[in-house]
Each structure stands twice: as structure tokens, then as C-alpha cells.
Amino acid sequence: MRKTTALLLSIGFSAIALAQDYSAAKPGELLQVPLTSLHPTQAAVGYDQIFYKLGRFANERNKLFDEYCEANGQGESARVPGDADLHKPDSFSCQNAVGTRSSEMKTVVIGPQGKLFLTDGHHTFTVLLEHPDAGADLNMWVRVTDNFSDCADMASFWQRMAQARKVWLKDGNGRSIDPQQIPAQLGLQHLANDPYRALVYFTREVAYDKPRSGEVAPEFLEFYWGNWLRSVMPLEGYDLSDRGDYRDAVEAAAKKMVALAPDEIVGDSGFKARELGGYSSIDRKELNKVAGRKLNYATRYKKALAEGS
């Protein structure tokens, strides 16, 4: 028991994780919380990214456990027996202990009344929330980056979040919104669809990648790319339910992304292409992999949804 307690304290776990008011949490602390306690800081997600993951997990069960382990900073899954249950962490194992890879964990800001506002992980946690073997009551570990619980009210909190670039105030069509229009919960029934956000996800490692060294990747990096693509590349000519058409859209987007000079500002983001991880040329091997796996799962899952509705 003493060894377990010492281990938890040594990697910054907080006893307040068991409470509903997280006002005392400090930056760097790790909290284990149910998905229902997380409040979004964006109003939209890329549905097709979520459909890809759900489609893949339906066919490759171990990948669901990889997603869980990776989000908890534990690397990939190590042992997943047939009776493994995400709600029973002792029924399977991950490569590392929780928080070992804390830089890979999803992040939260503490707001007024000690509420948790998710700043990274909307897609991963929505996938887990929507998955039949996980759900809204699944407990996940998150890393605190800031504590803004001392804000006098929600208006001053959102102002501080905007100044820190920790909120995305646009809807699924790229139109500006007020913080009050951000849903209070995660999930596809609450979050709108932004097709450009999904498009950027599929260009990852094809035309850009999140910076891994030097300058820290900004929050909502994919939205900055997507918002710019929305202004230079209409999607009306592509059938995103068709894998071939979707591949063409991804390639067209990738071409526009790599055509930007490294020091060129991406739209109105205020960030240079290199700061958003932009490549100088398309990785065509990765593009073929995206078309063969990710887009295949995404379009098949969407088709199944349409046929079931």
C-alpha cells in the first residue's frame, strides 16, 4: 500500500480527482475523471475522423485499447484478453504506467467553480463516449495546463481563455460564435460537424504533422489549417461518402498546404506554416495509406450509418 501511494504522489496524481470541484488542481497535475465532467472549448468536431475510429475499432478491437492507453499517457496496450473491459483497467494492461508519457495526454483548464474545460482531446473522448464498450461514464486521466478558477465569472473566464488561445470560437461552417454557443457536453448529439477539420486530420503526415520539438504546437492547430482551407478550397465538388473522391479531396488539400512557404502566415491564424507543422512536399506513401485504411473505414462506417437510419 505504501509503495502504491508513493508512486501515485511521485507522478503528480491528485487526491482531488475524486471530487467534483477541481479548483485546487495545479498545472501539471493528472486527474482521473468521467467523460461527463469534461466541458468542450469548441462547438464542432470532424465527424469523419470519429467515424474512421469507430469503424476501425469495430474491426480491430485492440486499437480501442490502444486509444485508451495512449490518451492516459501509457503508450499502447500491452495485453488485451478476450474479457478485457475499459471500465475495469485491471482486466488489461498498457505499456506504461498512467502519465509516463504525459505530453501525449489530453489537457484541461480549470474554470470557475472548479469545472474542467477540455482543450485537447475532443475527438478522442467523443470516440470513446460514442463507443458501445466505453460511454459517458468512462473514467479517463487528463493533464491540467492552467487553473483559471479565480475568474470572477464565466465572461471573464472566456475572455481569459480567448487571450490564451484556448477556445475555438467558430461553428462547423467557420462562422464566429459566442462562448455561450459552445455545448456543455461532448458527443455527436451536441457537437456540430466541421468537414474541414476532418479533412485536415486525413492530411496529417501527408502535408503536415504536429511539431514534436522546439516550439510547442498551438491548441486547435488542425482548426487553423481547416479554417484556411475553407477559404481556398470548396468541398462541394467532392463526394465525401466515396473513398476515391475523398482521396482526391485530401490530395488537393495537401497540395495547397505544402505550397505555402515555411514563413507564410496560414490564413488569419497568426501562425506560420512551419509553426503549424507544414511540410514542403506531399508524403505520397502516407497518402496511399490514408486512402487505403482511414478513408476506407470512414466511408464504410458512414455508409452503414446511412443504411441503418
Side-chain angles (χ1 to χ4, degrees):
M1 178 65 72
R2 289 179 180 177
K3 288 184 178 179
T4 301
T5 302
L7 174 61
L8 293 177
L9 292 175
S10 69
I11 59 178
F13 292 2
S14 174
I16 67 169
L18 300 177
Q20 291 302 307
D21 185 333
Y22 302 94
S23 299
K26 296 178 174 60
E29 286 195 59
L30 309 183
L31 307 175
Q32 188 181 35
V33 301
L35 294 179
T36 50
S37 69
L38 299 171
H39 299 277
T41 54
Q42 62 194 54
V45 289
Y47 280 15
D48 287 343
Q49 176 179 340
I50 292 165
F51 293 158
Y52 150 62
K53 289 292 184 73
L54 291 173
R56 186 174 187 185
F57 296 163
N59 287 273
E60 301 177 43
R61 180 170 175 268
N62 277 26
K63 291 299 179 181
L64 171 64
F65 290 85
D66 284 347
E67 191 89 346
Y68 173 94
C69 293
E70 289 169 1
N72 285 333
Q74 298 180 269
E76 296 181 346
S77 60
R79 182 183 62 86
V80 183
D83 62 350
D85 184 341
L86 289 178
H87 293 274
K88 300 175 181 177
D90 290 340
S91 68
F92 62 96
S93 63
C94 304
Q95 291 176 332
N96 307 115
V98 170
T100 300
R101 307 183 188 188
S102 60
S103 64
E104 299 176 7
M105 296 180 70
K106 308 311 176 185
T107 53
V108 296
V109 171
I110 312 299
Q113 301 178 351
K115 293 182 179 180
L116 302 177
F117 290 83
L118 187 68
T119 54
D120 179 53
H122 293 76
H123 287 78
T124 293
F125 288 161
T126 294
V127 168
L128 292 174
L129 189 150
E130 298 290 344
H131 197 281
D133 293 338
D137 61 342
L138 180 69
N139 289 314
M140 295 296 296
W141 289 91
V142 293
R143 176 169 56 86
V144 178
T145 59
D146 303 270
N147 189 324
F148 295 164
S149 62
D150 58 347
C151 290
D153 50 36
M154 288 306 297
S156 58
F157 168 72
W158 284 120
Q159 183 178 20
R160 191 171 177 183
M161 289 286 282
Q163 291 172 343
R165 288 180 175 259
K166 291 184 177 292
V167 58
W168 182 253
L169 294 175
K170 293 185 184 296
D171 66 12
N173 295 308
R175 295 182 294 244
S176 295
I177 60 173
D178 295 323
Q180 293 74 21
Q181 293 174 267
I182 296 176
Q185 303 174 53
L186 296 170
L188 294 181
Q189 69 183 100
H190 304 293
L191 296 164
N193 179 37
D194 183 343
Y196 284 92
R197 174 59 180 79
L199 181 66
V200 172
Y201 170 73
F202 293 124
T203 66
R204 186 169 180 177
E205 297 186 18
V206 176
Y208 85 100
D209 199 4
K210 285 189 174 182
R212 301 179 188 276
S213 61
E215 297 180 55
V216 177
E219 305 284 3
F220 310 108
L221 179 150
E222 294 88 352
F223 276 112
Y224 290 125
W225 279 118
N227 201 46
W228 168 70
L229 282 172
R230 195 189 315 273
S231 68
V232 298
M233 180 186 162
L235 285 176
E236 288 78 5
Y238 299 96
D239 179 0
L240 300 185
S241 63
D242 178 82
R243 183 173 60 157
D245 250 24
Y246 215 137
R247 182 200 181 283
D248 291 344
V250 171
E251 182 174 15
K255 286 180 177 178
K256 289 186 177 297
M257 294 167 74
V258 302
L260 291 176
D263 288 329
E264 191 169 349
I265 300 296
V266 179
D268 60 2
S269 70
F271 291 101
K272 299 174 181 177
R274 62 174 173 79
E275 293 175 316
L276 298 182
Y279 288 0
S280 59
S281 61
I282 293 176
D283 186 331
R284 295 204 165 271
K285 182 178 179 181
E286 190 64 31
L287 175 61
N288 290 333
K289 286 170 59 178
V290 167
R293 173 174 289 174
K294 291 182 178 179
L295 296 180
N296 184 40
Y297 277 127
T299 53
R300 283 171 56 191
Y301 190 87
K302 280 202 297 186
K303 181 180 179 181
L305 278 181
E307 292 176 346
S309 60

